[in-house]
Amino acid sequence: MFSRTDAANDGSFAPQDWALFLGISLIWGASFLLMAEALEALTPGMVTLGRVGFGAVTLGVLRLLLHRGERIAPEDRWRVVALAVLWVALPFSLIPLAQQWINSAVAGLLNGATPVLVTVVSVVLVRNAPRPLQVVGLIVGFVGIVLVSLGSAAEGSSQAQGVVLVLAATVCYGFAINIAPPLQAKYGAVVLMSSVLAVATALVIPTALINLGDNRVEPVPTLAVFAVGAVGTGAAYWIFSTLVGRVGSIRASFITYLIPVVSLLLGIWLRDDEVTRLALIGAPITIAGAVLASRRS
């Protein structure tokens, strides 16, 4: 259905690209809210395990239905392990930890730093330089993220700790999103991401066992972690991996300029999250960056 192989960075988004782009922005923007709800009764390690585990099951079922018998070649397995660490296990562990000190709106806003890291890694390792207009979009978006970070870190040392953890997660994403495109083109989104999530599930089990007795079984947090796993991880990584294969890693990473806006609106509306004036100024700037970055050079 979505089979365009446009790994280059030129040209405007096709209508199907925009459908994927907006869909994943909404799903991942809501994921920060769902994780905040899950943390009301579950430890960060258990939230991570639930998110990765339910995502692995979702894509595992799709793989059985659509790609039965397909396997990752031995020479690519180390890349799958690298993606499991950098794209899932590490960042998915860091973000719930961070949300003990910062709210879902701020966590989502900070996630907008991802395209900058993706571009830096791409230029250094892959030598895939962005187009001039994309550079302008990156700069504009980065200004917005700086405003969000400064406003949040100014609230105190605990807030600053949460900010650092989320930004560390974006560094992981910067490497992972540059590793993924050739594998996605070779195996497809379902085969690749089901393998990645299966490996990541095994990796995060030890952290879920920490403070195991502190977890409580409550309906809303349980449903939240299921939703963020099955939809916000399983279905979302399928969509995003497809988008990476169609438009390339740099342009696909621009979704993180809309994720902050979704997380901000949902956090304020549903959880009464508080954000600084700087964050409110930075949010529309990130939208401007996304628009500039996705236009034809």
Side-chain angles (χ1 to χ4, degrees):
M1 181 178 180
F2 301 111
S3 59
R4 193 181 74 165
T5 54
D6 176 18
N9 294 325
D10 52 354
S12 299
F13 278 17
Q16 290 179 330
D17 299 332
W18 276 115
L20 293 168
F21 184 92
L22 295 175
I24 195 64
S25 298
L26 292 172
I27 292 171
W28 270 341
S31 292
F32 293 96
L33 173 71
L34 292 170
M35 283 189 287
E37 290 293 334
L39 286 167
E40 295 292 334
L42 302 172
T43 63
M46 187 58 67
V47 171
T48 300
L49 177 60
R51 182 182 184 187
V52 179
F54 284 126
V57 170
T58 300
L59 285 186
V61 171
L62 282 173
R63 183 172 179 172
L64 286 174
L65 294 175
L66 303 176
H67 303 277
R68 182 186 296 271
E70 293 189 28
R71 297 287 185 269
I72 301 293
E75 63 270 19
D76 291 326
R77 288 173 185 169
W78 72 270
R79 293 184 178 89
V80 170
V81 174
L83 285 178
V85 173
L86 293 171
W87 209 355
V88 182
L90 269 178
F92 280 24
S93 298
L94 291 172
I95 290 174
L97 283 174
Q99 286 190 242
Q100 295 180 107
W101 297 290
I102 58 176
N103 59 45
S104 62
V106 172
L109 291 174
L110 290 170
N111 197 62
T114 299
V116 178
L117 276 303
V118 171
T119 303
V120 170
V121 173
S122 180
V123 170
V124 174
L125 297 185
V126 188
R127 297 183 180 180
N128 184 19
R131 301 284 184 173
L133 201 56
Q134 292 173 348
V135 173
V136 175
L138 285 168
I139 294 172
V140 171
F142 184 67
V143 169
I145 296 305
V146 168
L147 293 175
V148 175
S149 301
L150 289 176
S152 301
E155 294 294 310
S157 59
S158 60
Q159 289 263 21
Q161 185 174 352
V163 168
V164 170
L165 289 173
V166 175
L167 292 179
T170 67
V171 173
C172 296
Y173 291 143
F175 283 93
I177 294 173
N178 278 288
I179 296 173
L183 293 176
Q184 192 278 336
K186 184 175 182 179
Y187 298 106
V190 174
V191 174
L192 173 62
M193 292 313 301
S194 62
S195 299
V196 168
L197 289 175
V199 173
T201 300
L203 293 175
V204 301
I205 287 175
T207 61
L209 300 178
I210 300 173
N211 299 324
L212 188 62
D214 292 343
N215 292 285
R216 304 186 308 275
V217 179
E218 296 181 5
V220 173
T222 301
L223 288 173
V225 79
F226 173 77
V228 80
V231 180
T233 302
Y237 269 96
W238 179 21
I239 296 170
F240 184 68
S241 185
T242 301
L243 183 63
V244 168
R246 289 173 58 84
V247 304
S249 59
I250 293 177
R251 299 179 76 212
S253 71
F254 295 146
I255 65 165
T256 50
Y257 281 165
L258 294 186
I259 289 172
V261 181
V262 176
S263 68
L264 173 67
L265 296 176
L266 291 178
I268 293 174
W269 177 33
L270 297 176
R271 289 184 59 86
D272 296 323
D273 285 344
E274 295 182 1
V275 293
T276 65
R277 290 182 180 179
L278 283 178
L280 292 175
I281 294 172
I285 293 176
T286 62
I287 298 178
V291 171
L292 287 172
S294 66
R295 291 179 64 85
R296 187 184 302 274
S297 296

